[in-house]
């Protein structure tokens, strides 16, 4: 039996995914999350075979969820299910450890194939993506300068995401179970590393980076 956790901030999407995947006799949905931080905690606690996760989530985005799941529950395979078709997102997802990348306008069969491929340890990319195109993008990315974002720690990335969602230091401290002073330290460190001068700069960076979606 393949155990699965679903992470999407839209309840109707999770309901549809559950209905679809429950039709497979060897699939078992063991949890749902509407928040990235909750998804990571749930995966660490339940240790599913597969996490199906949206790219844009409150609390912590799908790329960082993928990274944290790889660190905390390496036996769990991640399938990204998203509306974003940019090669940069696909490459980042794969480099963070995702096994599958499926677009939300894909067929139900593609998602099922992606889950089965991930369970077997194989990669699955939704059309129009191909391994060759992604490898070409990866080579171009390697030829560019080091991205300052890659110098952030896991905690600094969590704080960055929550600050971008306009959480206060006190709220972030409560969500991450750390002190407000520690939040201030992480916030100062990440703004220095990213060379951001103001909260507006941080929001613009988060939008440009895809940490929060346009219109959020």
């Amino acid at each position: 039996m393949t155990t699965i956790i679903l992470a999407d901030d839209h309840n109707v999407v999770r309901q549809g995914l559950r209905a679809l995947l429950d039709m497979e006799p060897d699939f078992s949905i063991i949890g749902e999350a509407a928040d990235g931080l909750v998804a990571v905690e749930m995966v660490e606690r339940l240790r599913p075979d597969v996490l199906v996760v949206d790219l844009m989530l409150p609390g912590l985005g799908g790329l960082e969820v993928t990274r944290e799941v790889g660190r905390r529950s390496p036996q769990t395979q991640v399938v990204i299910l998203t509306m974003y078709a940019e090669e940069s997102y696909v490459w980042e997802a794969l480099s963070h450890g995702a096994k599958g990348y499926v677009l939300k306008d894909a067929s139900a069969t593609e998602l099922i194939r992606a889950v089965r491929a991930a369970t077997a340890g194989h990669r699955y990319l939704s059309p129009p993506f191909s391994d060759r195109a992604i490898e070409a993008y990866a080579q171009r990315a390697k030829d560019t300068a080091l991205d300052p974002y890659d110098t952030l720690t896991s905690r600094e990335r969590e704080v960055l995401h929550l600050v971008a969602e306009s959480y206060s230091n006190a709220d972030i401290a409560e969500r991450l179970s750390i002190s407000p002073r520690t939040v201030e330290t992480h916030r100062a460190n990440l703004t220095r590393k990213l060379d951001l001068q103001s909260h507006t700069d941080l929001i613009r960076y988060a939008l440009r980076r895809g940490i929060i979606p346009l219109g959020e």
Side-chain angles (χ1 to χ4, degrees):
M1 184 68 70
T2 298
T3 55
I4 302 169
I5 285 177
L6 307 174
D8 193 291
D9 59 332
H10 295 97
N11 186 49
V12 68
V13 173
R14 296 198 311 276
Q15 288 178 353
L17 292 174
R18 176 181 280 274
L20 168 66
L21 297 176
D22 271 343
M23 294 177 66
E24 299 299 306
D26 56 332
F27 287 178
S28 176
I29 310 301
I30 62 172
E32 297 182 19
D35 176 285
L37 289 171
V38 173
V40 171
E41 294 166 0
M42 187 177 292
V43 167
E44 190 172 21
R45 177 166 47 87
L46 299 180
R47 307 284 177 173
D49 297 310
V50 177
L51 169 68
V52 177
V53 59
D54 191 8
L55 200 62
M56 296 297 174
L57 286 173
L60 194 65
L63 293 175
E64 285 309 309
V65 168
T66 302
R67 184 173 181 270
E68 284 300 302
V69 166
R71 188 171 68 86
R72 302 189 195 188
S73 182
Q75 74 274 27
T76 299
Q77 306 299 336
V78 178
V79 173
I80 302 287
L81 180 64
T82 180
M83 61 182 286
Y84 292 91
E86 290 84 354
E87 287 182 346
S88 58
Y89 284 133
V90 183
W91 166 242
E92 284 204 61
L94 297 179
S95 65
H96 279 57
K99 284 294 185 184
Y101 195 100
V102 180
L103 296 178
K104 284 188 173 180
D105 61 359
S107 67
T109 301
E110 285 185 45
L111 178 58
I112 293 170
R113 286 176 180 166
V115 171
R116 293 196 184 283
T119 302
H122 303 311
R123 179 189 291 180
Y124 185 91
L125 299 179
S126 176
F129 304 116
S130 69
D131 287 328
R132 180 175 296 180
I134 298 307
E135 291 299 335
Y137 179 88
Q139 188 57 52
R140 295 196 302 272
K142 289 179 182 178
D143 293 338
T144 61
L146 175 66
D147 187 343
Y149 183 79
D150 293 333
T151 68
L152 300 183
T153 65
S154 295
R155 185 63 87 192
E156 286 167 355
R157 294 181 187 197
E158 291 173 347
V159 170
L160 170 61
H161 193 117
L162 293 169
V163 170
E165 290 187 338
S166 298
Y167 280 81
S168 68
N169 285 355
D171 290 336
I172 295 172
E174 182 176 356
R175 288 224 59 183
L176 300 180
S177 299
I178 57 180
S179 71
R181 177 166 293 184
T182 300
V183 173
E184 290 177 8
T185 299
H186 288 311
R187 187 167 178 168
N189 288 340
L190 72 88
T191 54
R192 173 179 53 80
K193 290 179 180 180
L194 299 177
D195 193 25
L196 304 174
Q197 306 302 318
S198 67
H199 185 71
T200 300
D201 289 341
L202 189 150
I203 296 297
R204 288 173 178 165
Y205 178 87
L207 288 168
R208 185 172 68 251
R209 182 80 199 187
I211 293 171
I212 55 175
L214 290 170
E216 179 124 327

